[in-house]
Amino acid sequence: QITLKESGPTLVKPTQTLTLTCTFSGFSLSTSGVGVGWFRQPPGKALEWLALIFWNDDKWYSPSLKSRLAVTKDTSKNQVVLTMTNMDPVDTATYSCAQYSHFHKWFDPWGQGSLVTVSS
Amino acid sequence: DIQMTQSPSSLSASVGDRVTITCRASQSISSYLNWYQHKTGKAPRLLIYGASSLQSGVPSRFSGSGSGTDFTLTINSLTPEDFATYYCQQSFSMYLTFGGGTKVEIK
């Protein structure tokens, strides 16, 4: 069974850097074709893709947020870390991670998400 | 970026109704189109991949169709657990994008 769980702060101040960790089980990020993606959903708004990291360390970012995002993986710990710099109240959202299959080109399964509020 | 436009943004339907949601891509994405169901407080769930393939474990009342720029998600005979928000997502470009979502509410 594959599971993913997001962890990190629930509250960050404006201008701070957000660091979120996706801890997963049931698969390895050293397996060819496997990736982990990050997403967010502001309250009342739609899902938005943020970043994707592959088994071979190839990385893709949302063009609109690329300058603020970084994604890394720790294969030994089964973790993927997302950092987002210069946080603003508009970045308040539920942040989620999901496994990506490069073969099927789908995200499945997903973590439940972690709400991050940006406020002073 | 490839823009994904869903319609309607919301709809009201009754248990047993047939519901159709459309998704239009700003350029051709072949069949690289997935549909997800999302309920508040829960993890999104993959329903359809490759525009028309049903993910394992998903009830057969869900179906998808389309290719190129126009796609459809159909729910036959709506059940109480189907009230949720549905998103399309293109995977043609590595700059992945979602539609704006369609909230299916109880009439």
Side-chain angles (χ1 to χ4, degrees), chain B residues 2 5 10 12 16 21 30 37-39 47 51 59 62 65 67-69 74 76 86 93 99-101 104:
Chain B
I2 299 176
T5 304
S10 66
S12 296
I21 299 168
S30 184
Q37 176 192 66
H38 191 201
K39 297 181 181 180
L47 300 175
F62 290 93
S65 64
S67 66
T69 60
T74 300
N76 282 305
Y86 294 84
S93 163
V104 177

Side-chain angles (χ1 to χ4, degrees), chain A residues 10-11 13 26 33 37 42-43 45 49 54 56 65 67 69 79 83-84 86 97-98 103-104 116 119:
Chain A
T10 57
L11 179 67
K13 290 180 166 44
K45 296 191 176 182
W49 169 71
F54 284 103
N56 59 1
L65 292 166
S67 63
L69 295 174
Q79 290 181 333
T83 59
M84 180 180 290
N86 194 25
C97 59
F103 176 76
H104 295 288
V116 178
S119 174

Side-chain angles (χ1 to χ4, degrees), chain A residues 39 41 45-47 49 52 54 60-61 63 100 102 104-108 110-112, chain B residues 1 32 34 36 38 41-44 46 49 55 87 89 91 94-96 98-100:
Chain A
F39 312 82
Q41 184 177 28
K45 296 191 176 182
L47 279 170
W49 169 71
L52 176 59
F54 284 103
W60 294 82
Y61 297 102
Y100 184 72
H102 196 46
H104 295 288
K105 297 195 181 299
W106 71 35
F107 288 104
D108 186 50
W110 294 60
Q112 193 157 338
Chain B
D1 292 12
Y32 293 102
N34 302 321
Y36 300 87
H38 191 201
K42 294 199 170 183
L46 175 68
Y49 64 95
Q55 174 65 328
Y87 292 94
Q89 175 250 320
S91 51
M94 284 311 303
Y95 298 108
L96 306 160
F98 286 86

Side-chain angles (χ1 to χ4, degrees), chain B residues 48-104:
Chain B
I48 302 286
Y49 64 95
S52 59
S53 296
L54 193 67
Q55 174 65 328
S56 176
V58 174
S60 59
R61 63 180 179 274
F62 290 93
S63 63
S65 64
S67 66
T69 60
D70 294 313
F71 303 86
T72 299
L73 173 70
T74 300
I75 312 172
N76 282 305
S77 192
L78 207 63
T79 70
E81 57 261 35
D82 299 335
F83 293 96
T85 301
Y86 294 84
Y87 292 94
C88 61
Q89 175 250 320
Q90 65 80 17
S91 51
F92 177 83
S93 163
M94 284 311 303
Y95 298 108
L96 306 160
T97 45
F98 286 86
T102 297
K103 187 173 184 179
V104 177

Side-chain angles (χ1 to χ4, degrees), chain A residues 3-112:
Chain A
T3 63
L4 304 99
K5 186 175 176 70
E6 307 84 359
S7 60
T10 57
L11 179 67
V12 297
K13 290 180 166 44
T15 75
Q16 286 187 336
T17 294
L18 171 68
T19 300
L20 292 170
T21 301
C22 176
T23 303
F24 55 87
S25 63
F27 69 96
S28 172
L29 201 37
S30 60
T31 300
S32 179
V34 174
V36 171
W38 279 99
F39 312 82
R40 69 179 179 178
Q41 184 177 28
K45 296 191 176 182
L47 279 170
E48 178 183 17
W49 169 71
L50 301 176
L52 176 59
I53 186 167
F54 284 103
W55 80 99
N56 59 1
D57 212 37
D58 196 14
K59 301 168 187 177
W60 294 82
Y61 297 102
S62 167
S64 62
L65 292 166
K66 183 175 182 177
S67 63
R68 299 174 54 205
L69 295 174
V71 63
T72 60
K73 62 181 175 70
D74 186 330
T75 305
S76 65
K77 292 183 179 179
N78 282 349
Q79 290 181 333
V80 171
V81 175
L82 178 77
T83 59
M84 180 180 290
T85 61
N86 194 25
M87 293 291 285
D88 182 272
V90 300
D91 297 314
T92 293
T94 296
Y95 288 76
S96 305
C97 59
Q99 185 194 33
Y100 184 72
S101 165
H102 196 46
F103 176 76
H104 295 288
K105 297 195 181 299
W106 71 35
F107 288 104
D108 186 50
W110 294 60
Q112 193 157 338

